[in-house]
Amino acid sequence: MAPVTRSSRLTLVALSLLAARTLATPSLPPSTDLFDTLGDEGLFDFETSVDYDLAAPEPADYDLLPPEQQDDIFARVVDGSLAARSWHGYEAHSKRALGKAMTGASTMVTAGQTGVAAMQITLVDDDHIVIYDKAEDNALKSKSGGSAWGSVYTISTQKVRALNLKTNSFCAGGGWIGNGTLVSVGGNPRQDSNENAADGLAAVRFFTPCTNDKCDVYENPSRIRMTSQRWYPSTVRLQDGSIMILGGMIAGGFNNAPSTDNPTFEWFPPKFDGLPVYSKFLHDALNSNLFPITYLLPNGQIFVAANQIAMVYDWKKNIERRLPDFPNGVTVTYPASAASVLLPLTIANNWTPEILFCGGTTANLNLNPAKLSSSYLASKQCSRMALNTAGIKKGWITEDMPSPRLMGDALLLPTGHVLIINGAMRGIAGYGNVKDAVGASNAASPVKRPVLYDPVAAKGKRFSYNFPEGRVERLYHSTATVIPDGRVFVAGSNPNDRVSQKTYRTRYGVEMLSPPYMSLARPSFSGAPAKVGYNKAFTLTVSVPKGTKAVQAFLMDHGYSTHGVHMSSRMVELVATLKGTKLTVTGPKTTGLFPPGTGWLHINADGVPSVSTKVMVGDGASPPVSQSAINNMLKKTKGSPK
Ligand SMILES: *[C@@H]1O[C@H](CO)[C@@H](O)[C@H](O)[C@H]1NC(C)=O
Ligand SMILES: [Cu+2]
């Protein structure tokens, strides 16, 4: 028999843990699936098991333990040597009144590789996700033979193909415009020798979906670009199908500073005189004003949050109206990276916009980051505000998540719940800055268990934990999106300058989370129109589970996911009436409720969602183009000067 080496002993520990988990949690996939994960991802990085003379801790305390201690406690609960408390096991929290859709088990399984690190992702159609990374040493090759930094992942086959970008999309933003084309904006100058990535700071990149798996990224940097350099910009789609582009910095760095700030807005396609518009708000939000969090409001204005402040911006009149600051000194944008969402706009809430932020940090991010620590506990605080007169008067209402988190991704599930997934309990976003980085990561203590927020439950009863833990950490530069069948695609994590195998390594593995509704009897529909007109009725033929009492229809935008921000994501309920099997649905009343462009239509039967169908909301026309604005922009601005 071969001697038991350290690595084989570790494998044995890992395997026995796997076996224990598989027994205890029938919802997990067969172990062959996990073996693949082990080889590729080094699922269990821990070194030895430590003896704890503890009873199983309360959930909040458990969440604060380092991952290896969590694993160890979990294993001991499973093998019976530690008394379980009710929170152990994946179904313990389904007893709360979450409704049918969230009752039962959920699973998390591996689902192939992303080819490039999944720093930015967005759902394209039924079967594809576009992924952008920074130019780095990915194994996936582009046409030129160098490392690719973009890919398209096919959901049904779990395979990727490379995209061929010209410019470096390192920490770019992006959004879909009204004619169904994806626009990626900004990036970084760095040119890695093996990829020949051109300066992407002022880049505009197009991706138009196709059905033959041949479409690629189109760039023409001398004619199609932004006015100025933007690393870490955000976008939001507006009522005319254009996107507004917000903020960013003109050079790389840990955080923004007055000397690197680009506190301006611009539009794609260019608007007005084509020149950027100064924002006092973004200036006031220094230093941590990167990847501002923004949502289109039903009145056509936009909500913007950065650092610890928020506003409503009337972009047509260039008027900034400040909202109450975030309470208790919590910073919400990078490198604090709270999770945020525009809550579903529903008939029940009369389509009143309500904004939610969860997590972030109270660390002083204006300090030299070498003074900050990866052990500093993130914030547990959620802040919620309705953006009507009464809501703004009340201000941000706070409540705590079950555990601290930064770099969480808040996703609207088709049920209307908010899933907060990914992130860490300690430290800050980014890499290579804090005095005690873990490997290169500025953050430590990954939170692998997603938490669910029920926006319509009473305060104090909104959170539940009815989900398995992810298999690997999802830290800085990780992403997540809901896909058409209702599952959640989770990928990325790369708190490193370049591809790295050290803790916390560059992660290429995809995991798919199936919430409980995936295994229930679900409604379905046919007859979705290719185009959904504003205030125009259309009829679906629906099939709903026996005994269904309420059928609802929704439009969703799953947004552009990067750095915990989900640009333009939203969910809007449509007016719908059921007669027999015919559901008459009326398109959104206004472009402020859902701006023109790609949307995802689904129905819910007593809260259980159907699969969704891609539709074009509006007429699919290209957003307005002002040639004089473009000419003036090209003449008077420099984009990325060499
Ligand atoms: C959408 O509009 C943009 C900007 O005008 C244009 O470059 C792109 O080709 C259009 N896409 C489609 C599918 O028409
Ligand atoms: Cu980044």
Side-chain angles (χ1 to χ4, degrees), residues 369-397:
K371 293 207 153 68
L372 296 169
S373 168
S374 65
S375 69
Y376 189 83
L377 215 49
S379 172
K380 279 183 167 185
Q381 178 174 290
C382 292
S383 306
R384 172 171 169 171
M385 184 163 59
L387 292 183
N388 56 14
T389 311
I392 295 171
K393 208 165 152 197
K394 276 191 204 144
W396 296 105
I397 311 282

PDB file of all heavy atoms in Angstrom, residues 369-397:
ATOM      1  N   PRO A 369      -4.926  52.244   2.917  1.00  0.00           N
ATOM      2  CA  PRO A 369      -5.459  50.881   3.118  1.00  0.00           C
ATOM      3  C   PRO A 369      -4.519  49.971   3.907  1.00  0.00           C
ATOM      4  O   PRO A 369      -4.974  48.979   4.491  1.00  0.00           O
ATOM      5  CB  PRO A 369      -5.662  50.368   1.694  1.00  0.00           C
ATOM      6  CG  PRO A 369      -4.867  51.252   0.815  1.00  0.00           C
ATOM      7  CD  PRO A 369      -4.799  52.585   1.492  1.00  0.00           C
ATOM      8  N   ALA A 370      -3.242  50.322   3.981  1.00  0.00           N
ATOM      9  CA  ALA A 370      -2.319  49.512   4.775  1.00  0.00           C
ATOM     10  C   ALA A 370      -2.672  49.591   6.260  1.00  0.00           C
ATOM     11  O   ALA A 370      -2.192  48.806   7.079  1.00  0.00           O
ATOM     12  CB  ALA A 370      -0.887  49.961   4.540  1.00  0.00           C
ATOM     13  N   LYS A 371      -3.537  50.543   6.625  1.00  0.00           N
ATOM     14  CA  LYS A 371      -3.990  50.650   8.019  1.00  0.00           C
ATOM     15  C   LYS A 371      -5.265  49.838   8.239  1.00  0.00           C
ATOM     16  O   LYS A 371      -5.729  49.687   9.363  1.00  0.00           O
ATOM     17  CB  LYS A 371      -4.267  52.114   8.363  1.00  0.00           C
ATOM     18  CG  LYS A 371      -3.023  52.984   8.373  1.00  0.00           C
ATOM     19  CD  LYS A 371      -3.224  54.157   9.325  1.00  0.00           C
ATOM     20  CE  LYS A 371      -1.928  54.684   9.901  1.00  0.00           C
ATOM     21  NZ  LYS A 371      -1.054  55.330   8.945  1.00  0.00           N
ATOM     22  N   LEU A 372      -5.864  49.358   7.153  1.00  0.00           N
ATOM     23  CA  LEU A 372      -7.103  48.584   7.284  1.00  0.00           C
ATOM     24  C   LEU A 372      -6.766  47.098   7.429  1.00  0.00           C
ATOM     25  O   LEU A 372      -5.667  46.669   7.088  1.00  0.00           O
ATOM     26  CB  LEU A 372      -7.985  48.811   6.064  1.00  0.00           C
ATOM     27  CG  LEU A 372      -8.489  50.251   5.888  1.00  0.00           C
ATOM     28  CD1 LEU A 372      -9.127  50.442   4.530  1.00  0.00           C
ATOM     29  CD2 LEU A 372      -9.460  50.622   7.001  1.00  0.00           C
ATOM     30  N   SER A 373      -7.757  46.330   7.925  1.00  0.00           N
ATOM     31  CA  SER A 373      -7.488  44.928   8.217  1.00  0.00           C
ATOM     32  C   SER A 373      -8.519  44.005   7.571  1.00  0.00           C
ATOM     33  O   SER A 373      -9.710  44.323   7.503  1.00  0.00           O
ATOM     34  CB  SER A 373      -7.509  44.719   9.734  1.00  0.00           C
ATOM     35  OG  SER A 373      -7.525  43.331  10.022  1.00  0.00           O
ATOM     36  N   SER A 374      -8.042  42.840   7.137  1.00  0.00           N
ATOM     37  CA  SER A 374      -8.942  41.821   6.583  1.00  0.00           C
ATOM     38  C   SER A 374      -9.805  41.200   7.678  1.00  0.00           C
ATOM     39  O   SER A 374     -10.709  40.426   7.388  1.00  0.00           O
ATOM     40  CB  SER A 374      -8.145  40.722   5.879  1.00  0.00           C
ATOM     41  OG  SER A 374      -7.362  40.031   6.830  1.00  0.00           O
ATOM     42  N   SER A 375      -9.515  41.507   8.943  1.00  0.00           N
ATOM     43  CA  SER A 375     -10.319  40.910  10.013  1.00  0.00           C
ATOM     44  C   SER A 375     -11.431  41.853  10.489  1.00  0.00           C
ATOM     45  O   SER A 375     -12.248  41.473  11.322  1.00  0.00           O
ATOM     46  CB  SER A 375      -9.427  40.522  11.187  1.00  0.00           C
ATOM     47  OG  SER A 375      -8.940  41.687  11.804  1.00  0.00           O
ATOM     48  N   TYR A 376     -11.474  43.046   9.959  1.00  0.00           N
ATOM     49  CA  TYR A 376     -12.499  44.006  10.385  1.00  0.00           C
ATOM     50  C   TYR A 376     -13.877  43.508   9.956  1.00  0.00           C
ATOM     51  O   TYR A 376     -14.112  43.224   8.782  1.00  0.00           O
ATOM     52  CB  TYR A 376     -12.211  45.382   9.776  1.00  0.00           C
ATOM     53  CG  TYR A 376     -13.079  46.483  10.335  1.00  0.00           C
ATOM     54  CD1 TYR A 376     -12.737  47.106  11.537  1.00  0.00           C
ATOM     55  CD2 TYR A 376     -14.230  46.884   9.678  1.00  0.00           C
ATOM     56  CE1 TYR A 376     -13.543  48.108  12.060  1.00  0.00           C
ATOM     57  CE2 TYR A 376     -15.044  47.891  10.197  1.00  0.00           C
ATOM     58  CZ  TYR A 376     -14.687  48.491  11.385  1.00  0.00           C
ATOM     59  OH  TYR A 376     -15.487  49.485  11.905  1.00  0.00           O
ATOM     60  N   LEU A 377     -14.784  43.404  10.899  1.00  0.00           N
ATOM     61  CA  LEU A 377     -16.094  42.830  10.630  1.00  0.00           C
ATOM     62  C   LEU A 377     -16.932  43.741   9.729  1.00  0.00           C
ATOM     63  O   LEU A 377     -17.039  44.936   9.964  1.00  0.00           O
ATOM     64  CB  LEU A 377     -16.808  42.623  11.970  1.00  0.00           C
ATOM     65  CG  LEU A 377     -17.706  41.415  12.126  1.00  0.00           C
ATOM     66  CD1 LEU A 377     -17.034  40.124  11.678  1.00  0.00           C
ATOM     67  CD2 LEU A 377     -18.137  41.300  13.585  1.00  0.00           C
ATOM     68  N   ALA A 378     -17.512  43.149   8.708  1.00  0.00           N
ATOM     69  CA  ALA A 378     -18.397  43.895   7.804  1.00  0.00           C
ATOM     70  C   ALA A 378     -19.681  44.275   8.529  1.00  0.00           C
ATOM     71  O   ALA A 378     -19.923  43.842   9.654  1.00  0.00           O
ATOM     72  CB  ALA A 378     -18.715  43.042   6.575  1.00  0.00           C
ATOM     73  N   SER A 379     -20.504  45.077   7.859  1.00  0.00           N
ATOM     74  CA  SER A 379     -21.761  45.513   8.465  1.00  0.00           C
ATOM     75  C   SER A 379     -22.857  44.461   8.252  1.00  0.00           C
ATOM     76  O   SER A 379     -22.898  43.785   7.234  1.00  0.00           O
ATOM     77  CB  SER A 379     -22.201  46.832   7.832  1.00  0.00           C
ATOM     78  OG  SER A 379     -23.495  47.171   8.269  1.00  0.00           O
ATOM     79  N   LYS A 380     -23.737  44.366   9.245  1.00  0.00           N
ATOM     80  CA  LYS A 380     -24.928  43.510   9.138  1.00  0.00           C
ATOM     81  C   LYS A 380     -26.128  44.326   8.694  1.00  0.00           C
ATOM     82  O   LYS A 380     -27.203  43.791   8.492  1.00  0.00           O
ATOM     83  CB  LYS A 380     -25.321  43.012  10.537  1.00  0.00           C
ATOM     84  CG  LYS A 380     -24.577  41.863  11.098  1.00  0.00           C
ATOM     85  CD  LYS A 380     -25.206  41.532  12.446  1.00  0.00           C
ATOM     86  CE  LYS A 380     -24.720  40.186  12.917  1.00  0.00           C
ATOM     87  NZ  LYS A 380     -25.374  39.764  14.141  1.00  0.00           N
ATOM     88  N   GLN A 381     -25.944  45.621   8.599  1.00  0.00           N
ATOM     89  CA  GLN A 381     -27.097  46.517   8.487  1.00  0.00           C
ATOM     90  C   GLN A 381     -27.745  46.502   7.106  1.00  0.00           C
ATOM     91  O   GLN A 381     -27.065  46.633   6.099  1.00  0.00           O
ATOM     92  CB  GLN A 381     -26.638  47.939   8.812  1.00  0.00           C
ATOM     93  CG  GLN A 381     -27.720  49.001   8.680  1.00  0.00           C
ATOM     94  CD  GLN A 381     -27.222  50.356   9.156  1.00  0.00           C
ATOM     95  OE1 GLN A 381     -27.010  50.570  10.339  1.00  0.00           O
ATOM     96  NE2 GLN A 381     -27.009  51.267   8.218  1.00  0.00           N
ATOM     97  N   CYS A 382     -29.060  46.351   7.086  1.00  0.00           N
ATOM     98  CA  CYS A 382     -29.827  46.612   5.872  1.00  0.00           C
ATOM     99  C   CYS A 382     -30.533  47.947   6.055  1.00  0.00           C
ATOM    100  O   CYS A 382     -31.033  48.243   7.140  1.00  0.00           O
ATOM    101  CB  CYS A 382     -30.882  45.543   5.639  1.00  0.00           C
ATOM    102  SG  CYS A 382     -30.198  43.943   5.245  1.00  0.00           S
ATOM    103  N   SER A 383     -30.575  48.729   4.992  1.00  0.00           N
ATOM    104  CA  SER A 383     -31.281  50.016   5.011  1.00  0.00           C
ATOM    105  C   SER A 383     -32.289  49.996   3.877  1.00  0.00           C
ATOM    106  O   SER A 383     -31.944  49.634   2.755  1.00  0.00           O
ATOM    107  CB  SER A 383     -30.310  51.171   4.786  1.00  0.00           C
ATOM    108  OG  SER A 383     -29.254  51.118   5.719  1.00  0.00           O
ATOM    109  N   ARG A 384     -33.504  50.379   4.195  1.00  0.00           N
ATOM    110  CA  ARG A 384     -34.575  50.310   3.195  1.00  0.00           C
ATOM    111  C   ARG A 384     -35.362  51.612   3.224  1.00  0.00           C
ATOM    112  O   ARG A 384     -35.659  52.132   4.292  1.00  0.00           O
ATOM    113  CB  ARG A 384     -35.469  49.107   3.530  1.00  0.00           C
ATOM    114  CG  ARG A 384     -36.729  49.000   2.708  1.00  0.00           C
ATOM    115  CD  ARG A 384     -37.393  47.661   2.980  1.00  0.00           C
ATOM    116  NE  ARG A 384     -38.737  47.622   2.407  1.00  0.00           N
ATOM    117  CZ  ARG A 384     -39.494  46.520   2.343  1.00  0.00           C
ATOM    118  NH1 ARG A 384     -39.038  45.381   2.836  1.00  0.00           N
ATOM    119  NH2 ARG A 384     -40.701  46.556   1.813  1.00  0.00           N
ATOM    120  N   MET A 385     -35.686  52.112   2.046  1.00  0.00           N
ATOM    121  CA  MET A 385     -36.455  53.358   1.985  1.00  0.00           C
ATOM    122  C   MET A 385     -37.375  53.324   0.772  1.00  0.00           C
ATOM    123  O   MET A 385     -36.968  52.918  -0.314  1.00  0.00           O
ATOM    124  CB  MET A 385     -35.521  54.568   1.904  1.00  0.00           C
ATOM    125  CG  MET A 385     -36.240  55.911   1.940  1.00  0.00           C
ATOM    126  SD  MET A 385     -35.170  57.331   2.323  1.00  0.00           S
ATOM    127  CE  MET A 385     -33.999  57.239   1.025  1.00  0.00           C
ATOM    128  N   ALA A 386     -38.610  53.784   0.983  1.00  0.00           N
ATOM    129  CA  ALA A 386     -39.548  53.955  -0.129  1.00  0.00           C
ATOM    130  C   ALA A 386     -39.324  55.349  -0.691  1.00  0.00           C
ATOM    131  O   ALA A 386     -39.215  56.324   0.056  1.00  0.00           O
ATOM    132  CB  ALA A 386     -40.982  53.792   0.350  1.00  0.00           C
ATOM    133  N   LEU A 387     -39.261  55.449  -2.028  1.00  0.00           N
ATOM    134  CA  LEU A 387     -38.985  56.756  -2.620  1.00  0.00           C
ATOM    135  C   LEU A 387     -40.276  57.473  -3.009  1.00  0.00           C
ATOM    136  O   LEU A 387     -40.514  57.809  -4.167  1.00  0.00           O
ATOM    137  CB  LEU A 387     -38.049  56.608  -3.818  1.00  0.00           C
ATOM    138  CG  LEU A 387     -36.626  56.164  -3.446  1.00  0.00           C
ATOM    139  CD1 LEU A 387     -35.742  56.098  -4.671  1.00  0.00           C
ATOM    140  CD2 LEU A 387     -36.008  57.085  -2.395  1.00  0.00           C
ATOM    141  N   ASN A 388     -41.117  57.676  -2.005  1.00  0.00           N
ATOM    142  CA  ASN A 388     -42.240  58.601  -2.150  1.00  0.00           C
ATOM    143  C   ASN A 388     -42.138  59.575  -0.979  1.00  0.00           C
ATOM    144  O   ASN A 388     -41.260  59.435  -0.117  1.00  0.00           O
ATOM    145  CB  ASN A 388     -43.588  57.858  -2.191  1.00  0.00           C
ATOM    146  CG  ASN A 388     -43.798  56.972  -0.983  1.00  0.00           C
ATOM    147  OD1 ASN A 388     -43.072  57.079   0.024  1.00  0.00           O
ATOM    148  ND2 ASN A 388     -44.775  56.087  -1.055  1.00  0.00           N
ATOM    149  N   THR A 389     -43.007  60.558  -0.950  1.00  0.00           N
ATOM    150  CA  THR A 389     -42.845  61.624   0.045  1.00  0.00           C
ATOM    151  C   THR A 389     -42.813  61.061   1.464  1.00  0.00           C
ATOM    152  O   THR A 389     -41.934  61.401   2.257  1.00  0.00           O
ATOM    153  CB  THR A 389     -43.997  62.645  -0.104  1.00  0.00           C
ATOM    154  OG1 THR A 389     -44.074  62.966  -1.495  1.00  0.00           O
ATOM    155  CG2 THR A 389     -43.739  63.894   0.691  1.00  0.00           C
ATOM    156  N   ALA A 390     -43.762  60.152   1.733  1.00  0.00           N
ATOM    157  CA  ALA A 390     -43.826  59.597   3.092  1.00  0.00           C
ATOM    158  C   ALA A 390     -42.568  58.780   3.401  1.00  0.00           C
ATOM    159  O   ALA A 390     -42.010  58.878   4.509  1.00  0.00           O
ATOM    160  CB  ALA A 390     -45.069  58.730   3.227  1.00  0.00           C
ATOM    161  N   GLY A 391     -42.127  57.990   2.430  1.00  0.00           N
ATOM    162  CA  GLY A 391     -40.966  57.132   2.644  1.00  0.00           C
ATOM    163  C   GLY A 391     -39.694  57.931   2.884  1.00  0.00           C
ATOM    164  O   GLY A 391     -38.902  57.606   3.780  1.00  0.00           O
ATOM    165  N   ILE A 392     -39.515  58.969   2.092  1.00  0.00           N
ATOM    166  CA  ILE A 392     -38.304  59.781   2.243  1.00  0.00           C
ATOM    167  C   ILE A 392     -38.335  60.510   3.587  1.00  0.00           C
ATOM    168  O   ILE A 392     -37.311  60.669   4.244  1.00  0.00           O
ATOM    169  CB  ILE A 392     -38.166  60.764   1.046  1.00  0.00           C
ATOM    170  CG1 ILE A 392     -37.948  59.969  -0.244  1.00  0.00           C
ATOM    171  CG2 ILE A 392     -37.028  61.753   1.271  1.00  0.00           C
ATOM    172  CD1 ILE A 392     -38.016  60.776  -1.518  1.00  0.00           C
ATOM    173  N   LYS A 393     -39.532  60.907   4.005  1.00  0.00           N
ATOM    174  CA  LYS A 393     -39.677  61.571   5.294  1.00  0.00           C
ATOM    175  C   LYS A 393     -39.260  60.618   6.426  1.00  0.00           C
ATOM    176  O   LYS A 393     -38.583  61.015   7.371  1.00  0.00           O
ATOM    177  CB  LYS A 393     -41.136  62.011   5.472  1.00  0.00           C
ATOM    178  CG  LYS A 393     -41.269  63.216   6.362  1.00  0.00           C
ATOM    179  CD  LYS A 393     -42.639  63.814   6.206  1.00  0.00           C
ATOM    180  CE  LYS A 393     -43.030  64.523   7.499  1.00  0.00           C
ATOM    181  NZ  LYS A 393     -44.462  64.763   7.564  1.00  0.00           N
ATOM    182  N   LYS A 394     -39.636  59.376   6.303  1.00  0.00           N
ATOM    183  CA  LYS A 394     -39.253  58.378   7.324  1.00  0.00           C
ATOM    184  C   LYS A 394     -37.773  58.082   7.257  1.00  0.00           C
ATOM    185  O   LYS A 394     -37.142  57.706   8.246  1.00  0.00           O
ATOM    186  CB  LYS A 394     -40.008  57.066   7.080  1.00  0.00           C
ATOM    187  CG  LYS A 394     -41.382  57.040   7.678  1.00  0.00           C
ATOM    188  CD  LYS A 394     -41.942  55.600   7.622  1.00  0.00           C
ATOM    189  CE  LYS A 394     -43.449  55.616   7.640  1.00  0.00           C
ATOM    190  NZ  LYS A 394     -44.057  54.582   6.821  1.00  0.00           N
ATOM    191  N   GLY A 395     -37.193  58.176   6.069  1.00  0.00           N
ATOM    192  CA  GLY A 395     -35.758  57.910   5.904  1.00  0.00           C
ATOM    193  C   GLY A 395     -35.462  56.430   5.810  1.00  0.00           C
ATOM    194  O   GLY A 395     -36.362  55.600   5.642  1.00  0.00           O
ATOM    195  N   TRP A 396     -34.189  56.097   5.922  1.00  0.00           N
ATOM    196  CA  TRP A 396     -33.776  54.702   5.836  1.00  0.00           C
ATOM    197  C   TRP A 396     -34.211  53.961   7.090  1.00  0.00           C
ATOM    198  O   TRP A 396     -33.898  54.387   8.197  1.00  0.00           O
ATOM    199  CB  TRP A 396     -32.252  54.597   5.700  1.00  0.00           C
ATOM    200  CG  TRP A 396     -31.723  55.190   4.433  1.00  0.00           C
ATOM    201  CD1 TRP A 396     -31.056  56.386   4.311  1.00  0.00           C
ATOM    202  CD2 TRP A 396     -31.771  54.623   3.121  1.00  0.00           C
ATOM    203  NE1 TRP A 396     -30.709  56.592   2.997  1.00  0.00           N
ATOM    204  CE2 TRP A 396     -31.126  55.532   2.249  1.00  0.00           C
ATOM    205  CE3 TRP A 396     -32.300  53.445   2.593  1.00  0.00           C
ATOM    206  CZ2 TRP A 396     -30.990  55.295   0.880  1.00  0.00           C
ATOM    207  CZ3 TRP A 396     -32.166  53.211   1.235  1.00  0.00           C
ATOM    208  CH2 TRP A 396     -31.532  54.121   0.393  1.00  0.00           C
ATOM    209  N   ILE A 397     -34.936  52.881   6.913  1.00  0.00           N
ATOM    210  CA  ILE A 397     -35.317  52.038   8.044  1.00  0.00           C
ATOM    211  C   ILE A 397     -34.312  50.882   8.082  1.00  0.00           C
ATOM    212  O   ILE A 397     -34.125  50.194   7.071  1.00  0.00           O
ATOM    213  CB  ILE A 397     -36.735  51.461   7.854  1.00  0.00           C
ATOM    214  CG1 ILE A 397     -37.721  52.563   7.464  1.00  0.00           C
ATOM    215  CG2 ILE A 397     -37.177  50.686   9.084  1.00  0.00           C
ATOM    216  CD1 ILE A 397     -38.197  53.439   8.559  1.00  0.00           C
TER     217      ILE A 397
END
